[in-house]
Amino acid sequence: MDKKYLENDLHTGQARVLMYLHRNQSEVVYQKDIEAFFQIRGGTVTGMIDTLQNYEYIQRIDSEIDKRKKRIVLTPKGEEVALSAVKTTQDMENNIYELLTGQELLVFQGVVEKMNKFIDEEEAN
């Protein structure tokens, strides 16, 4: 996917953050939300946010509730790039699904569900 996202000068992690912000536009999103959702460290997210802000894809806006926090919001330019990333992801998923027969897709979904359940149980312990 990195190769596809690089057509828009993005790395996969950056594209995923933009898509997350696009999907959650109606919510107030802080850096901590991104860290928690993707389960990545604060320093990593700070670097991504700095880069995305330098590209003018996002803005940091002071929180009205807590001035120490900054809301992370897409700019119009960022929204455009996020929509492009969504389309890139959907196109790749559709291409992969076309490779699989109905039975293979059912087996694949079963394996993914089994792995997710295992991971959820491991995280709970």
Side-chain angles (χ1 to χ4, degrees):
M1 291 300 296
D2 231 13
K3 184 176 177 182
K4 293 285 186 187
Y5 293 130
L6 280 172
E7 293 172 8
N8 289 318
D9 294 324
L10 292 174
H11 293 284
T12 300
Q14 295 166 334
R16 292 179 69 205
V17 168
L18 291 177
M19 289 187 288
Y20 172 82
L21 292 170
H22 169 73
R23 284 191 309 269
N24 293 284
Q25 286 183 62
S26 62
E27 306 294 324
V28 174
V29 176
Y30 298 107
Q31 178 172 331
K32 290 285 185 197
D33 300 316
I34 296 169
E35 292 169 18
F37 183 81
F38 292 107
Q39 297 179 339
I40 51 181
R41 295 178 330 189
T44 303
V45 174
T46 298
M48 272 195 275
I49 290 173
D50 287 344
T51 300
L52 293 171
Q53 187 171 15
N54 289 338
Y55 287 157
E56 299 177 351
Y57 295 158
I58 63 164
Q59 287 181 308
R60 289 179 169 118
I61 298 174
D62 288 334
S63 168
E64 296 168 6
I65 299 167
D66 184 346
K67 295 298 179 194
R68 295 170 297 174
K69 292 184 175 182
K70 305 272 188 201
R71 291 179 43 222
I72 310 296
V73 297
L74 286 173
T75 64
K77 184 178 177 181
E79 176 67 17
E80 210 173 285
V81 175
L83 288 171
S84 177
V86 167
K87 183 179 180 337
T88 297
T89 301
Q90 288 172 338
D91 289 348
M92 181 63 81
E93 287 175 357
N94 289 338
N95 290 338
I96 290 170
Y97 288 137
E98 287 176 9
L99 292 173
L100 301 175
T101 66
Q103 182 61 35
E104 288 170 330
L105 189 54
L106 288 173
V107 170
F108 173 72
Q109 290 170 333
V111 170
V112 169
E113 286 175 19
K114 197 176 220 181
M115 290 170 56
N116 281 335
K117 183 179 178 190
F118 172 79
I119 290 168
D120 289 344
E121 289 171 356
E122 286 294 310
E123 288 180 344
N125 293 333

